[in-house]
Amino acid sequence: MKIATATHLMFAMAIWIPLAVADTIVLNNGESFEGKLISEDATHYIFELQVTKSIKDERKFLKSEIKSVTKRPADLEDFDQLKDLVPVPDLIDVAGYQERLKKLSAFAQAHPKSSKLREVKAMQENLEQEMAVVTAGGFKLAGLLVSQEAYLADAYAYDQKILVKKIQHEMGRRNFIGALRLFSQFEASFSEGKMREELISGIRQVLTVYRATLADSLATYDARMKEREEGLVRMSPENRADTELAIAEEMTELRNRFTREKAEKNPWITPHANLKETMIEAMRQADAEIRRLDAPSKRQALESPLEEVYRNAWLRMPTATAEDRKLIMENAKRDRMPVHYLNKLEERKNTEP
């Protein structure tokens, strides 16, 4: 961003957003500015000012224009780096909690007399309480802690929610291939779940955009390859040799990955704009998935969603008779419960009441 001296800046003071606690520069004429002192040299101060909530600007002040400079306390500056540690995002593992606690502990050691120590201690207590739940096998979802016991009693529903959240995250990042790969996992376990219908519309949009992107890359492929060849011709012999070697290495790596993913029967191979075969195969996969989603389902609808089937089976198992336990498992299999969740129920069945 362009830097100007204070004498050449005509902005009104009202456009600057004052900070609660900040470095302050007071000019000889009485004007004052709050922000962050970035650097200084023999004749100038460089100051960062907040123009709007999302826009910052840098201003250069002549030292001869300055009456005083007041630096923000170091502990407040450091505390700014900690404020986002709490609340913790969903699905953070134990290592993530430990990393946050480590930062808070380092602050307390560096600033033992800081006015922010009480807040830091409260943050530490919050993190430690949550970490205890996560360490015991729980997790945080939708801002709420879920204990291991609560998870096991409703594992099918929770796992479905977690996977949907991951898929939606990849959609938000426009990581189409990542979202589609996760959706394939979803279909393997949760095609009978309640959340599928609300997810399908988003997946259809992903497929539409993904396919269009592939089509654009395929349409421009020949022109791009010709342009690359013409660029190589214009290079010096030495630079051309180096570039051709780099291209050859890249193409070998891309072909090896493509061959490996095909051999593994990956439902979503990784397309690359410089390897036509990958884009053609990715297009074929996208078209096949669109047809699959458009085709009417041939599966008979279940009387109850699998979330309820699993939950009820889990709750009934401890007090059920041996015969009833056997019947509960048979019904779960009849309702197409995925093996992973049948195994959880089987463990529950074998537990003494």
Side-chain angles (χ1 to χ4, degrees):
M1 184 172 288
K2 185 177 180 181
I3 299 176
T5 60
T7 53
H8 290 89
L9 288 169
M10 303 302 293
F11 294 110
M13 288 291 292
I15 70 169
W16 303 110
I17 297 178
L19 304 178
V21 182
D23 300 337
T24 304
I25 281 184
V26 179
L27 305 182
N28 293 328
N29 64 8
E31 286 185 303
S32 64
F33 298 87
E34 292 182 344
K36 183 177 181 180
L37 180 60
I38 298 175
S39 63
E40 66 175 294
D41 55 29
T43 57
H44 293 90
Y45 288 112
I46 305 297
F47 219 62
E48 181 181 79
L49 300 173
Q50 199 80 36
V51 182
T52 70
K53 289 183 178 181
S54 60
I55 300 176
K56 296 178 180 179
D57 194 15
E58 290 182 5
R59 295 181 64 172
K60 180 183 287 188
F61 294 90
L62 286 168
K63 286 189 172 181
S64 60
E65 298 177 307
I66 304 301
K67 180 179 180 180
S68 65
V69 176
T70 304
K71 281 286 293 176
R72 186 185 192 197
D75 65 319
L76 300 184
E77 188 76 23
D78 289 346
F79 184 75
D80 272 353
Q81 309 304 312
L82 307 178
K83 290 188 295 186
D84 291 337
L85 297 182
V86 175
V88 178
D90 288 352
L91 305 176
I92 295 296
D93 59 13
V94 172
Y97 280 96
Q98 291 174 336
E99 183 63 26
R100 284 167 166 75
L101 285 166
K102 183 179 178 181
K103 291 178 180 179
L104 291 171
S105 178
F107 176 91
Q109 292 178 9
H111 307 289
K113 297 182 179 181
S114 173
S115 62
K116 294 295 183 179
L117 279 181
R118 180 177 296 181
E119 291 179 58
V120 168
K121 184 177 180 181
M123 293 166 71
Q124 287 175 317
E125 291 175 353
N126 178 280
L127 290 173
E128 287 167 354
Q129 290 171 3
E130 290 192 10
M131 187 173 71
V133 174
V134 175
T135 302
F139 52 87
K140 192 173 187 179
L141 184 65
L144 300 175
L145 285 172
V146 179
S147 68
Q148 183 187 43
E149 182 180 2
Y151 162 71
L152 289 174
D154 212 7
Y156 186 93
Y158 276 122
D159 286 345
Q160 183 181 190
K161 291 176 183 177
I162 290 170
L163 191 49
V164 167
K165 184 178 180 67
K166 290 179 179 179
I167 292 170
Q168 290 172 339
H169 175 70
E170 296 306 322
M171 288 179 179
R173 295 176 57 226
R174 295 182 66 80
N175 179 11
F176 305 132
I177 191 73
L180 292 170
R181 284 172 175 167
L182 288 172
F183 180 65
S184 292
Q185 295 179 29
F186 181 92
E187 289 287 76
S189 295
F190 305 113
S191 61
E192 307 283 1
K194 287 182 178 180
M195 303 187 73
R196 185 178 188 272
E197 286 307 311
E198 65 183 77
L199 185 61
I200 288 295
S201 61
I203 291 297
R204 290 182 187 278
Q205 292 177 20
V206 167
L207 283 166
T208 299
V209 178
Y210 180 57
R211 192 188 185 288
T213 302
L214 291 170
D216 287 344
S217 291
L218 282 167
T220 61
Y221 179 81
D222 291 339
R224 286 187 288 105
M225 293 302 102
K226 181 179 179 181
E227 183 179 357
R228 185 170 73 177
E229 288 301 316
E230 291 173 349
L232 287 170
V233 170
R234 293 192 294 269
M235 290 182 179
S236 66
E238 182 178 354
N239 288 341
R240 178 174 181 174
D242 290 341
T243 303
E244 287 177 334
L245 178 60
I247 291 173
E249 291 175 348
E250 179 193 44
M251 296 305 293
T252 297
E253 182 179 342
L254 292 176
R255 288 193 177 94
N256 288 342
R257 182 178 65 186
F258 180 52
T259 300
R260 182 176 65 254
E261 290 182 347
K262 288 271 287 182
E264 294 171 350
K265 298 183 178 180
N266 193 319
W268 296 104
I269 61 96
T270 308
H272 194 282
N274 291 340
L275 187 58
K276 194 171 187 177
E277 302 99 292
T278 63
M279 292 186 289
I280 292 174
E281 176 62 14
M283 180 78 81
R284 184 196 67 76
Q285 291 178 334
D287 288 339
E289 183 71 347
I290 291 171
R291 288 194 300 271
R292 185 182 75 84
L293 294 179
D294 287 344
S297 176
K298 297 180 180 179
R299 305 185 75 173
Q300 184 176 357
L302 299 176
E303 292 183 6
S304 301
L306 280 190
E307 295 92 335
E308 295 178 13
V309 173
Y310 177 91
R311 187 184 307 116
N312 291 335
W314 184 272
L315 293 175
R316 289 177 55 199
M317 201 71 79
T319 57
T321 64
E323 188 63 28
D324 284 342
R325 290 185 179 194
K326 181 179 178 181
L327 183 60
I328 290 171
M329 292 302 301
E330 289 176 354
N331 288 341
K333 292 176 184 177
R334 178 204 62 198
D335 289 336
R336 304 188 289 271
M337 181 72 67
V339 173
H340 177 69
Y341 300 98
L342 286 175
N343 290 340
K344 289 182 180 295
L345 293 175
E346 189 69 34
E347 291 177 10
R348 180 79 158 171
K349 178 176 79 72
N350 295 330
T351 302
E352 290 296 326

